[in-house]
Amino acid sequence: MPTAFFDVDETLMSAKTMLSFRTWWDTRSGGDTTWLQELLHSPSDRMEKNRAYYRRFAGVPHGLFLAAGHEWYEDHRRGPAPFVVAGLRALRRHRAAGHRIVLVSGSHRACLDPIARDLGVDDVLCTELDVDEEGVLTGEIIRPMIGEAKATAVTAVLAESGTPPELCFAYGDHSSDLPLLSMVGTPMVVGEDPVLLSHARDRGWPVLPATAGPPQGSWSLLRTG
């Protein structure tokens, strides 16, 4: 079956979900919100920043974490412009065509599961977090989902289903999505990342705008027609 793989942050959702969720979490709990900006501007590489982000959740019950994700998503979806309109239009077209839809994101299930359920997504490939035997987050990562890890995970999915990569589609907005985009028959760039735009010009890849839209306008693209 043809499969459409979607990055999430700034490809389907206008926000960076991990940052939006953590800001929402800290604001709701009355916790410190300055550490996140300090982490973003630190000289650490992207993987170490991700690990530092998740360590801040050590000791949180996994069930509470997942429930918070649903609350965050409902709040985010009610915002003025929570979706990338072109990404949602593309997802609707793939759904209408009967294609399998898979989210591929460095974010976590607390954010991604409610999005997937809401948008009618079939599968989620994401960063998986370690949970101890008492159901509490340890703060460590079992599996990251950044860069080459996205291509590796997608390769495994296609091998399991027997789907040829040339029949598949992929959508991404960031240079770290390049390994994913390069392995499918129809890659689609969303937004204006200079690395991806360069590849799009050289290889004739389509480019979609990353314009954010309001809930009602974007949501109707999925629910009507």
Side-chain angles (χ1 to χ4, degrees), residues 40-216:
L40 289 174
H41 293 94
S42 76
S44 303
D45 63 26
R46 192 177 184 192
M47 180 59 72
E48 185 51 42
K49 288 180 181 180
N50 268 29
R51 292 188 182 280
Y53 170 93
Y54 287 116
R55 287 181 183 128
R56 299 286 295 212
F57 288 106
V60 173
H62 191 220
L64 175 63
F65 184 67
L66 295 177
H70 285 269
E71 291 185 49
W72 161 80
Y73 179 62
E74 288 302 320
D75 283 352
H76 177 75
R77 201 179 67 136
R78 286 192 291 265
F83 302 120
V84 175
V85 175
L88 282 176
R89 283 179 174 154
L91 189 148
R92 176 179 179 259
R93 289 194 296 270
H94 288 293
R95 275 183 40 184
H99 296 169
R100 182 183 184 187
I101 300 172
V102 180
L103 303 185
V104 190
S105 174
S107 192
H108 49 77
R109 289 193 176 275
C111 289
L112 299 175
D113 281 353
I115 294 171
R117 183 160 34 253
D118 210 8
L119 304 187
V121 169
D122 298 294
D123 293 291
V124 175
L125 302 174
C126 66
T127 298
E128 298 290 356
L129 308 184
D130 186 48
V131 181
D132 69 19
E133 57 190 20
E134 296 182 354
V136 175
L137 294 172
T138 69
E140 299 303 320
I141 296 173
I142 295 175
R143 181 186 72 175
M145 193 56 63
I146 298 174
E148 291 291 344
K150 290 187 174 184
T152 299
V154 167
T155 298
V157 167
L158 295 183
E160 181 180 355
S161 66
T163 303
E166 57 267 24
L167 296 182
C168 296
F169 306 78
Y171 297 78
D173 73 291
H174 189 268
S175 59
S176 62
D177 295 317
L178 186 57
L180 168 62
L181 295 173
S182 297
M183 65 175 297
V184 299
T186 307
M188 305 284 285
V189 173
V190 179
E192 300 181 352
D193 181 272
V195 173
L196 293 189
L197 288 180
S198 176
H199 279 79
R201 286 192 297 268
D202 292 344
R203 303 181 189 185
W205 293 353
V207 177
L208 302 177
T211 307
Q216 188 59 44

Side-chain angles (χ1 to χ4, degrees), residues 18-30:
M18 290 169 58
L19 305 184
S20 177
F21 174 72
R22 184 69 214 206
T23 300
W24 177 92
W25 176 283
D26 287 336
T27 300
R28 287 282 294 267
S29 65

